[in-house]
Amino acid sequence: MTETEAIRVAVPRKGRPLEAVLERVVDVSDAADVVDGIISTLRHEKAITKGKIQPDADVYERLAGYSDLDDEYAPEYTLLRDDRRGMPRRIVFDSLTVDVAGVPLQLIGREEPFRALRTHEFGLGFDSADLVLEEVVDLEPEGLDSISDVNARIDPMNTDVRVVSGLGDTVYHTLMARPEILPPGADLDREFVAGYEGELCISPRYERLVEAVLGTRALDEVSFAYPDDDREEEAAIADVGLGVYLTMTGSTARDHGLILGDHLFPSETVLMENVAEASELDGAGRVRDALAAAAHETEITV
């Protein structure tokens, strides 16, 4: 067993956010081989869950085959019910211990890492910056446009969680519109929205995020419209005329006759700290600083 108590860090259980976290861990440890194995295993299991490949063994046999109970630094996996038809059991990430900055770091999979930080279960964790905007930033007349400005909008009486750095796995909340709603020569930007009167199409879960990003002043004459459950977001935005949605290349938006405007805010996985909990953990500061100093981060000024 390790002599120093491990620092527990809440992380997503699957998908690109988990991969971004694991890639950051590789930057500050010698865990490249084990991380490659985890990513390969989870991609394989995702393909099985989606029916793209047929497994050679049942889910319990595969789970047992992935486990090595004699090695405390070997990854562990667990089972969750997937939300696809039939709710099949899916193998997802459970935990991994690596050494970072001379401290054993135990990554613990959670369905909602940000909320685990808010409830003081962890001192450090990774989750989407979107959740911070959706749940804890104060709404103000002026909008936000970068992760580096988020901490200034967090009421310390509301939560002890602060954003430390971003991982660079960025997809942007982006303005989209039918070109005919713009006056000649106008840009599709925040200034256009501030002078706009009418409906803005967004996903319902992003209502508070959009208010935080655009600012309440720009939305004075705007009402929100929402896509039907069976309608693509880009198609719904084309029906309304103006909207905000996540995009990387914008190809789907263009397929629906939309033009792309300002990148309003990065939807990015971020390292977060519960400052009250982390201050009580020996070595948490060294781990935090090592993870934040790794390449490709978005630095946060507190």
Side-chain angles (χ1 to χ4, degrees), residues 94-195:
D94 185 70
S95 65
L96 172 70
T97 300
V98 297
D99 290 327
V100 172
V103 179
L105 179 71
Q106 189 176 29
L107 306 176
I108 305 291
R110 284 289 183 268
E111 284 300 286
E112 298 178 326
F114 174 58
R115 294 190 178 98
L117 280 166
R118 288 198 71 190
T119 54
H120 295 258
E121 297 175 52
F122 293 84
L124 295 170
F126 293 88
D127 211 336
S128 172
D130 289 1
L131 295 173
V132 183
L133 270 66
E134 291 168 18
E135 297 191 17
V136 298
V137 301
D138 291 337
L139 301 180
E140 296 186 5
E142 300 302 320
L144 285 167
D145 60 9
S146 73
I147 290 176
S148 61
D149 297 329
V150 167
N151 285 338
R153 295 283 184 93
I154 296 177
D155 183 350
M157 298 298 291
N158 185 9
T159 181
D160 290 316
V161 178
R162 300 293 182 273
V163 176
V164 178
S165 67
L167 301 191
D169 58 328
T170 306
V171 179
Y172 283 95
H173 295 278
T174 302
L175 280 169
M176 305 178 182
R178 292 200 313 267
E180 59 266 27
I181 76 165
L182 273 72
D187 294 321
L188 183 54
D189 54 16
R190 293 169 182 267
E191 184 178 353
F192 171 79
V193 176

Side-chain angles (χ1 to χ4, degrees), residues 14 97 130 166 234 286:
K14 60 185 187 304
T97 300
D130 289 1
E234 292 91 345
R286 296 206 306 276

Side-chain angles (χ1 to χ4, degrees), residues 18-254:
L18 173 61
E19 291 188 10
V21 172
L22 294 175
E23 289 164 359
R24 171 58 58 88
V25 169
V26 168
D27 289 338
V28 295
S29 72
D30 59 357
D33 289 342
V34 68
V35 163
D36 285 345
I38 294 169
I39 292 174
S40 176
T41 295
L42 294 179
R43 288 180 179 178
H44 177 74
E45 289 298 324
K46 179 180 179 180
I48 291 174
T49 305
K50 297 178 73 173
K52 292 184 176 180
I53 59 176
Q54 293 299 313
D56 297 327
D58 69 31
V59 68
Y60 298 104
E61 292 174 317
R62 300 198 308 277
L63 181 62
Y66 297 144
S67 302
D68 184 355
L69 300 181
D70 296 326
D71 184 357
E72 66 175 316
Y73 282 82
E76 296 183 21
Y77 303 87
T78 192
L79 293 176
L80 286 181
R81 289 283 188 181
D82 197 81
D83 57 5
R84 292 178 174 83
R85 183 183 297 275
M87 300 189 71
R89 291 179 178 88
R90 177 174 176 178
I91 292 176
V92 297
F93 178 79
D94 185 70
S95 65
L96 172 70
T97 300
V98 297
D99 290 327
V100 172
V103 179
L105 179 71
Q106 189 176 29
L107 306 176
I108 305 291
R110 284 289 183 268
E111 284 300 286
E112 298 178 326
F114 174 58
R115 294 190 178 98
L117 280 166
R118 288 198 71 190
T119 54
H120 295 258
E121 297 175 52
F122 293 84
L124 295 170
F126 293 88
D127 211 336
S128 172
D130 289 1
L131 295 173
V132 183
L133 270 66
E134 291 168 18
E135 297 191 17
V136 298
V137 301
D138 291 337
L139 301 180
E140 296 186 5
E142 300 302 320
L144 285 167
D145 60 9
S146 73
I147 290 176
S148 61
D149 297 329
V150 167
N151 285 338
R153 295 283 184 93
I154 296 177
D155 183 350
M157 298 298 291
N158 185 9
T159 181
D160 290 316
V161 178
R162 300 293 182 273
V163 176
V164 178
S165 67
L167 301 191
D169 58 328
T170 306
V171 179
Y172 283 95
H173 295 278
T174 302
L175 280 169
M176 305 178 182
R178 292 200 313 267
E180 59 266 27
I181 76 165
L182 273 72
D187 294 321
L188 183 54
D189 54 16
R190 293 169 182 267
E191 184 178 353
F192 171 79
V193 176
Y196 174 78
E197 297 181 10
E199 290 186 322
L200 179 72
C201 185
I202 62 170
S203 174
R205 64 164 291 191
Y206 290 133
E207 182 170 322
R208 196 176 190 281
L209 181 149
V210 170
E211 290 176 322
V213 167
L214 287 172
T216 56
R217 181 180 294 116
L219 297 172
D220 280 345
E221 303 299 327
V222 171
S223 59
F224 291 133
Y226 309 105
D228 293 334
D229 291 340
D230 59 349
R231 191 92 165 119
E232 272 190 331
E233 280 80 359
E234 292 91 345
I237 292 172
D239 291 341
V240 171
L242 178 66
V244 177
Y245 191 55
L246 289 168
T247 186
M248 182 176 291
T249 65
S251 60
T252 304
R254 295 186 186 95

